[in-house]
Amino acid sequence: MRPRFDTAAAWARTRDAVPPVAQITVTAVASFAFAHYVVGHQSPLIAAIVVISALGFVRDARPIRVLETVFGMTLGIALAELLLLGFGAGLAQYAFALALTMLVARFLLPNPAFAVAAAVQCSLVMLSPLPPGGPFTRTLDAVVGGVFALLATVLIPRDPGKAATRAGLRMLAEHDGILADLSTALATGSATKADAALARARATQPLTDAWSNAVESGVAIARLSPFLRRRRFDLARQASMQAAIELCTRSLRVVARRAAYVARDGAPRPAVADLLARVRVSIVLISESLTDVSQQPIARQSLVEVARHLDPAQMAPDGDFADRNLVQAMRPYIVDALAATGMKADEARDLLPRA
């Protein structure tokens, strides 16, 4: 059966691609024009290629990542041009240049993409005709492209706040969905639904990484760009939220694992199911606070009420050790969720009843 084409996802990708497409297009054209009209190179293709590769569509558009890509590409071009000048062209020379470039790149930086970028540019130089202008023409074009790519991250920045917010909303929506599945599983005593929720919780790492990368990238860009000063406070707040929610996600996996264990007996657990439903309300409020900071204290108060009654003995008075262990697993989750609302972790822990 052929997979269905997701039109909504396609339009979402297209919409999200508009800022990077605009940034890449403007910068690539500008770098080519500068190398051609100002520097005087006849066909400075490398200048445009370096810009496109360095900026790309990755979420992590930090200047340091752009610089790494530019450096890798320029290294590959410079080494290839140096070897061409010394030993000429040919398959043996290409093999030596390619191997040397990758080894040097791996020695300089641990990032595999850095070595790949250097190798691709080395191949492009070694296997294509020498352009007019003499040796190291392409190296100069790479430098021009690199400078323009770095300037673009500061002068034509993508909006890092929106990218980070979208990533955060996706992460918190997944939390809400997993809590909803666990609540339903415990309310009905469904081991199948609990196992499905556990599998879903274990698959959250890509969302966690995406939000972390988006926030780190946004903070780095906003620190340099004069046009993004207004975003700095919001991004700093998001960085704090992201770190707390990452800890929440780890706790959520523990909760899901213990819920899947206790659900094997098929007995409904309405008290714990209600607890998870109340936590869902708070998670939705935290999600809304990403775009409306006034929701943050409301989310905090909602979690405070949950924390004050999070006593395993009271929540599962007739339960065995496994039932109380499940409630106990919710305590670090609530503490980290409160930290996501701006409360200090020590203050949040003090709210919990003594277990």
Side-chain angles (χ1 to χ4, degrees):
M1 181 176 174
R2 294 179 61 186
R4 288 184 60 186
F5 181 75
D6 191 337
T7 306
W11 278 114
R13 286 195 306 271
T14 305
R15 181 196 64 231
D16 293 346
V18 170
V21 164
Q23 183 194 51
I24 292 168
T25 301
V26 170
T27 311
V29 171
S31 65
F32 184 94
F34 183 88
H36 180 67
Y37 294 109
V38 179
V39 181
H41 292 175
Q42 183 173 328
S43 184
L45 177 64
I46 294 292
I49 290 176
V50 168
V51 166
I52 295 167
S53 301
L55 296 178
F57 284 96
V58 293
R59 288 188 180 94
D60 186 2
R62 287 175 293 176
I64 187 63
R65 189 204 61 81
V66 173
L67 180 60
E68 282 184 4
T69 305
V70 167
F71 179 46
M73 298 178 76
T74 306
L75 173 69
I77 293 167
L79 279 176
E81 291 208 298
L82 184 63
L83 292 170
L84 270 177
L85 187 63
F87 302 102
L91 286 178
Q93 292 91 327
Y94 167 58
F96 177 74
L98 183 61
L100 178 63
T101 298
M102 288 191 287
L103 289 172
V104 171
R106 291 299 288 159
F107 175 79
L108 291 174
L109 283 177
N111 185 359
F114 176 77
V116 171
V120 168
Q121 297 309 309
C122 170
S123 300
L124 183 63
V125 171
M126 293 296 296
L127 300 176
S128 61
L130 184 67
F136 301 107
T137 298
R138 287 172 288 199
T139 301
L140 181 56
D141 288 340
V143 172
V144 169
V147 169
F148 271 80
L150 289 168
L151 287 174
T153 63
V154 177
L155 301 178
I156 321 175
R158 305 166 194 179
D159 190 335
K162 288 183 179 179
T165 298
R166 283 194 296 267
L169 290 173
R170 284 191 287 266
M171 180 74 259
L172 289 165
E174 191 65 6
H175 268 250
D176 178 48
I178 293 167
L179 289 169
D181 290 348
L182 288 173
S183 179
T184 301
L186 293 170
T188 59
S190 172
T192 302
K193 288 184 178 179
D195 287 340
L198 173 58
R200 190 173 175 181
R202 286 173 170 167
T204 52
Q205 194 58 45
L207 291 173
T208 299
D209 293 341
W211 192 11
S212 175
N213 289 337
V215 170
E216 288 180 12
S217 177
V219 169
I221 294 170
R223 191 178 292 126
L224 293 176
S225 176
F227 306 108
L228 296 175
R229 291 184 183 277
R230 60 187 179 84
R231 287 285 190 186
R232 292 178 185 177
F233 169 79
D234 183 60
L235 284 165
R237 187 173 67 92
Q238 271 208 53
S240 176
M241 289 180 66
Q242 187 279 323
I245 295 299
E246 184 170 350
L247 295 175
C248 272
T249 306
R250 297 176 189 175
S251 298
L252 183 60
R253 294 179 191 131
V254 176
V255 171
R257 185 164 60 248
R258 294 183 181 176
Y261 177 80
V262 301
R264 290 175 186 172
D265 62 8
R269 291 170 170 79
V272 184
D274 180 64
L275 167 65
L276 294 175
R278 283 186 285 147
V279 174
R280 279 188 64 200
V281 173
S282 302
I283 292 300
V284 170
L285 289 168
I286 291 175
S287 179
E288 291 175 354
S289 76
L290 279 170
T291 53
D292 181 4
V293 71
S294 67
Q295 295 298 312
Q296 191 165 330
I298 301 174
R300 184 186 306 124
Q301 187 58 39
S302 174
L303 286 165
V304 165
E305 294 304 316
V306 173
R308 285 173 174 163
H309 297 90
L310 202 54
D311 185 341
Q314 290 183 3
M315 294 295 302
D318 301 321
D320 58 14
F321 176 77
D323 289 286
R324 296 188 180 188
N325 220 12
L326 171 57
V327 178
Q328 183 72 26
M330 285 300 300
R331 289 162 68 95
Y333 183 93
I334 297 300
V335 168
D336 293 327
L338 279 165
T341 68
M343 180 178 285
K344 293 182 179 179
D346 289 343
E347 292 179 14
R349 279 189 285 270
D350 289 341
L351 293 170
L352 297 171
R354 292 187 178 274

